[in-house]
Amino acid sequence: MHTLVFIKQVPQQNSVKITPDKHIDASGIESIISLFDEYALEEALLQTEKAGGQVTVITIGTEADKEALRKALAMGVDNAILVSDPQFADIGSLAAAKIGAAAARKVGDFDIIFCGKQSTDDETATFGPALARYLDIPVLSYVFKVESVDPNTHTVVLERALESTIETVESTLPAVLTTVKDLNQPRYPSLLKIRKAAKATIPTWGAADLGIEAGSLTPKIEYLDRVPPPPRPVGSIVDGASAQDKAAKLVDKLVDAQVI
Amino acid sequence: MAEIWVYLEEGADDLAPISRELITKAMELAAGLGGSVAGLALGPSAATITAQAFNYGVPKVYLTEAPALEHYTNEAYVAAAAELIKQYRPSVVLAGTSIQMRDWTPSLAAALDAALAADVTHVAVEGGRLVATRPSHGANVINKLGFNAPLVIISLRRQVSPEAKPTGGTGETIRGTMPAIKQRTRVRSVKEKTNAVNLADAQIIVSGGRGLQSPENYQKLVPELAQAFGGAYGASRAIVDAGWVPYERQVGQTGKTVSPKLYVACGISGAIQHLAGMRSSGTIVAINRDPEAPIFKVATYGLVGDVNELLPALTEAVKTKVGQ
C-alpha cells in the first residue's frame, strides 16, 4: 500500500504580527507540524504498518518547511517531497489543494491520502475536501476512527464524529481522509531516525514539474484588510469578604447586566 | 438579477436555527447587491424543509430528492447541488458551519471553480461589493475578504444575523434532477452519541481547567454550576490532555470555538490557545487564584481566589438568586 500524507508547517504560537502590506509575520516563533496533521501522520504509519507498504509525506511551502518533512521522516515516513515555487506563495487553500492534487498525480500509485481536518493557522478546513474533488476521489472528513483499510479490495471502513451522531462509512480507495485530534497517539521520533532524517535528500517539485501553468492559480479571494481582534472592554475584579460574598456580588452584576 | 441561495438544514422540529439566520442574512445581502433570495434543499426531508422555508419568507426553493441523497455523502450532495447551481447560476451560496457543511462547501467550490470563504463570522455589502470577515490564527487575525469570481460560496458561523420570523408565506418550488454519479461512499449506520455535547449552541458555558486540581473536583463542581446556570460545560486543553475530560468538551483552538452569551472560566490560566476558542463570548467571568493570570485580561468580571471554594459558593448564589 502506498500512503500519502499532506502536512503543513505552522507557527507553534499564533501570536503572529500583521505586516503593513497585510501579510502574516511569524518570525521569531518556532515552527511545528500543524497539530491535526500529526494525527494524520500517525494514522498513515499505523495503517501502512498493518497493510504493508510505504508512506510518502508532502508539504507545499518553502525551503524552511523541509524541517517539518524531516520531523515526519524521523517519525518513520519513507519518502518526503517539498512542493515549492515562487508562484505558490499566498495562494489560498483552494489553489493549494489544486497543487496538492497535481503532486499526488505525479506520485501516481497511491492508495490512500491522509491530512489533518484543518491547519491551526489559516483554519479553513478546505484542503482535504477540495483535494479529493480535484483528484475525483471520495473524501471522508473528520475521521476519528479507522476500522479497516484493505488495499486489495480497495475499501476503507471508518467512523466520522459529527455534532451529535457517529457515522460509520465505507468507501472505495483511493480516498482522502481528514483526521481530528485524539484519533491516535502520535509517536515520538527515535534518535536513530532523527539522525537518518537529517541526512535524507528531499526532492523539490516546482510548478513546471507539476505541469502547472504560470497564471493558472489566480486567487479568487482578495485580502482587503487584516487586523488584530478588537480589544475586549476593560473588566473589573469583584471583591468581597468571603467566597460567598464574592459569589453573591458577581451574581448581582450578572443579573443587573441581564446576562442571566 | 442573480440569486442568493441559502442551503437549508433540518432542525429538531423546524428549520435549523442557522438556516433561519442565513435567511435573514441572504435578504440583507440581496437588498444590498440587487437580487433575490432562494433556498436549496436536498435529501429525504427536502419537501418538509421547503415548506418550513416558505414560512420564514423564502420565496423560492430549489429541491432535489433522490435515493442517492438518503444520507449525506460528499459526492452525492455536491453533485446534486452542482447540477442545480450550473443550471440556475446563483451568485452567492450561504451555508452553515456544521461538520457536514464544512465538508460540503470546499468540495462544491472546487467542483464549480468558485470562490470560497470558510468559517465566516460576518458578511455584508460594502460599496456595492460583498465583503466577508473570518478569524484565523486562533482568532489573533481578523481577515476581511473580497471576491473575484462569478460564484461565491460562504460557510457562516452561528450568530451572524437574527433568526427570520415566520411569515406564513408560500413560494415556488423548482425540482432538480439527480445526476448519475459513481457512488463510492456509503453510510452504513448512524448512531446517536451517548453523551453528545453541543457547546456551539449553548448560551452559557462553564469551563474548568487545571486550577481545579483533580478530575474529581472538576466532576463535582463544574457540571453543577453549569446546571445551575442552565448551561453546558467545557474544559481547557490541559485537562483534556491529562485525561480528566473527553476531547469533545475541549474549548480552544484545537477544540471547539464558542461564543456564548456568558462564559465562565474556572481555574483556567488563559493560554493563547484557550482564548482563541472563547474570546468572542458576550460576557466572560474568570475565576482564578492568580490575579496575574492572562484570563483576567479578557474577563468582564474576575473573582480572585480558590476555585474549589468559589465554585460551590457561586452555584449556591445562582440557585438562590436566579432559581432553577
Side-chain angles (χ1 to χ4, degrees), chain B:
Chain B
M1 282 311 271
E3 290 175 339
I4 294 172
W5 287 12
V6 174
Y7 183 87
L8 301 166
E9 286 182 88
E10 188 179 13
D13 45 18
D14 195 353
L15 201 57
I18 179 65
S19 301
R20 286 184 252 154
E21 286 191 28
L22 295 181
I23 290 168
T24 307
K25 180 52 79 177
M27 292 191 172
E28 177 199 316
L29 298 180
L33 293 169
S36 57
V37 174
L40 170 61
L42 305 177
S45 315
T48 313
I49 298 172
T50 298
Q52 291 166 347
F54 290 154
N55 184 40
Y56 286 104
V58 175
K60 188 199 279 184
V61 175
Y62 297 88
L63 162 165
T64 303
E65 292 166 304
L69 301 172
E70 187 196 345
H71 287 292
Y72 173 88
T73 62
N74 180 284
E75 52 192 3
Y77 274 62
V78 168
E83 186 81 2
L84 283 165
I85 291 170
K86 279 187 220 155
Q87 192 175 350
Y88 296 102
R89 301 189 169 278
S91 58
V92 181
V93 176
L94 305 180
T97 46
S98 64
I99 287 172
Q100 303 296 39
M101 290 295 100
R102 293 298 297 273
D103 179 84
W104 181 74
T105 44
S107 292
L108 187 65
L112 295 166
D113 206 22
L116 172 71
D119 202 21
V120 162
T121 50
H122 182 69
V123 58
V125 178
E126 293 179 17
R129 189 174 184 195
L130 195 64
V131 176
T133 304
R134 71 176 299 271
S136 68
H137 297 79
N140 283 287
V141 179
I142 308 298
N143 306 278
K144 272 182 101 173
L145 309 173
F147 304 97
N148 306 306
L151 172 63
V152 178
I153 297 172
I154 305 177
S155 63
L156 283 134
R157 284 192 199 167
R158 285 293 305 274
Q159 273 136 42
V160 287
S161 287
E163 289 176 17
K165 299 269 183 292
T167 61
T170 56
E172 180 190 0
T173 304
I174 296 176
R175 286 185 178 271
T177 48
M178 182 69 206
I181 56 160
K182 296 174 265 182
Q183 258 203 301
R184 299 166 294 191
T185 47
R186 188 173 73 86
V187 177
R188 275 192 185 175
S189 64
V190 181
K191 59 174 191 260
E192 294 292 319
K193 281 188 190 168
T194 36
N195 290 307
V197 182
N198 198 349
L199 290 177
D201 286 339
Q203 292 288 306
I204 298 180
I205 296 174
V206 180
S207 280
R210 219 192 269 285
L212 285 150
Q213 290 171 334
S214 74
E216 292 73 28
N217 288 345
Y218 176 93
Q219 282 307 338
K220 193 170 70 190
L221 301 174
V222 175
E224 201 184 20
L225 178 56
Q227 199 189 1
F229 276 126
Y233 58 101
S236 71
R237 178 175 175 177
I239 67 167
V240 169
D241 285 354
W244 296 10
V245 186
Y247 170 56
E248 58 184 350
R249 294 204 183 271
Q250 184 184 319
V251 173
Q253 201 199 343
T254 56
K256 301 240 162 55
T257 301
V258 298
S259 60
K261 196 166 68 167
L262 172 63
Y263 187 87
V264 185
C266 312
I268 293 175
S269 64
I272 188 168
Q273 111 93 25
H274 189 76
L275 301 184
M278 44 63 79
R279 68 169 292 150
S280 62
S281 303
T283 298
I284 296 174
V285 170
I287 306 175
N288 205 291
R289 181 193 288 275
D290 174 10
E292 302 299 320
I295 192 76
F296 287 116
K297 292 205 177 75
V298 300
T300 321
Y301 304 112
L303 293 186
V304 179
D306 182 353
V307 19
N308 289 315
E309 275 178 36
L310 284 163
L311 285 202
L314 188 53
T315 302
E316 232 10 77
V318 174
K319 281 186 187 165
T320 315
K321 295 189 185 250
V322 188
Q324 279 296 309

Side-chain angles (χ1 to χ4, degrees), chain A residues 11 13-16 18 24 35-36 94 98 117-127 129-130 133-134 136-142 147 157 159-172 180-182 219-239 242-244 246-255 257-260, chain B residues 72 74-75 78 97-100 102-103 106-107 109-111 113-119 129 131 134-149 182 184-193 196-197 204 229 237 240-241 247 250 253-254 261-262 272 279-285 296-305 309-310 313-314 317-318 321-322:
Chain A
Q13 294 287 336
N14 267 320
S15 47
V16 295
I18 301 161
I24 300 295
L35 180 101
F36 302 106
L94 277 176
K98 209 176 260 182
K117 69 158 175 123
Q118 66 185 53
S119 67
T120 57
D121 56 356
D122 287 328
E123 303 173 303
T124 67
T126 295
F127 186 84
R133 178 59 46 173
Y134 290 130
D136 190 20
I137 60 175
V139 58
L140 297 312
S141 61
Y142 297 82
E147 284 189 358
V157 180
E159 291 186 356
R160 301 178 65 222
L162 307 180
E163 281 79 4
S164 58
T165 53
I166 292 170
E167 255 184 24
T168 306
V169 187
E170 63 178 48
S171 173
T172 58
V180 301
K181 194 186 166 207
D182 286 357
K220 296 185 167 61
I221 277 183
E222 180 188 343
Y223 285 96
L224 304 174
D225 201 5
R226 273 175 149 162
V227 293
R232 287 196 60 94
V234 178
S236 59
I237 297 292
V238 179
D239 212 351
S242 64
Q244 285 68 25
K246 288 178 191 174
K249 283 182 178 160
L250 173 66
V251 173
D252 287 342
K253 283 181 189 290
L254 293 175
V255 170
Q258 296 182 319
V259 176
I260 56 174
Chain B
Y72 173 88
N74 180 284
E75 52 192 3
V78 168
T97 46
S98 64
I99 287 172
Q100 303 296 39
R102 293 298 297 273
D103 179 84
S107 292
D113 206 22
L116 172 71
D119 202 21
R129 189 174 184 195
V131 176
R134 71 176 299 271
S136 68
H137 297 79
N140 283 287
V141 179
I142 308 298
N143 306 278
K144 272 182 101 173
L145 309 173
F147 304 97
N148 306 306
K182 296 174 265 182
R184 299 166 294 191
T185 47
R186 188 173 73 86
V187 177
R188 275 192 185 175
S189 64
V190 181
K191 59 174 191 260
E192 294 292 319
K193 281 188 190 168
V197 182
I204 298 180
F229 276 126
R237 178 175 175 177
V240 169
D241 285 354
Y247 170 56
Q250 184 184 319
Q253 201 199 343
T254 56
K261 196 166 68 167
L262 172 63
I272 188 168
R279 68 169 292 150
S280 62
S281 303
T283 298
I284 296 174
V285 170
F296 287 116
K297 292 205 177 75
V298 300
T300 321
Y301 304 112
L303 293 186
V304 179
E309 275 178 36
L310 284 163
L314 188 53
V318 174
K321 295 189 185 250
V322 188

Side-chain angles (χ1 to χ4, degrees), chain A residues 156-236:
Chain A
V156 58
V157 180
L158 50 84
E159 291 186 356
R160 301 178 65 222
L162 307 180
E163 281 79 4
S164 58
T165 53
I166 292 170
E167 255 184 24
T168 306
V169 187
E170 63 178 48
S171 173
T172 58
L173 292 177
V176 175
L177 276 62
T178 83
T179 51
V180 301
K181 194 186 166 207
D182 286 357
L183 152 95
N184 52 43
Q185 278 253 321
R187 66 194 66 186
Y188 291 103
S190 71
L191 265 176
L192 187 72
K193 283 184 176 150
I194 292 174
R195 278 199 217 112
K196 216 177 132 201
K199 286 184 241 147
T201 314
I202 297 175
T204 301
W205 293 352
D209 301 306
L210 299 176
I212 293 171
E213 284 171 34
S216 68
L217 298 170
T218 315
K220 296 185 167 61
I221 277 183
E222 180 188 343
Y223 285 96
L224 304 174
D225 201 5
R226 273 175 149 162
V227 293
R232 287 196 60 94
V234 178
S236 59

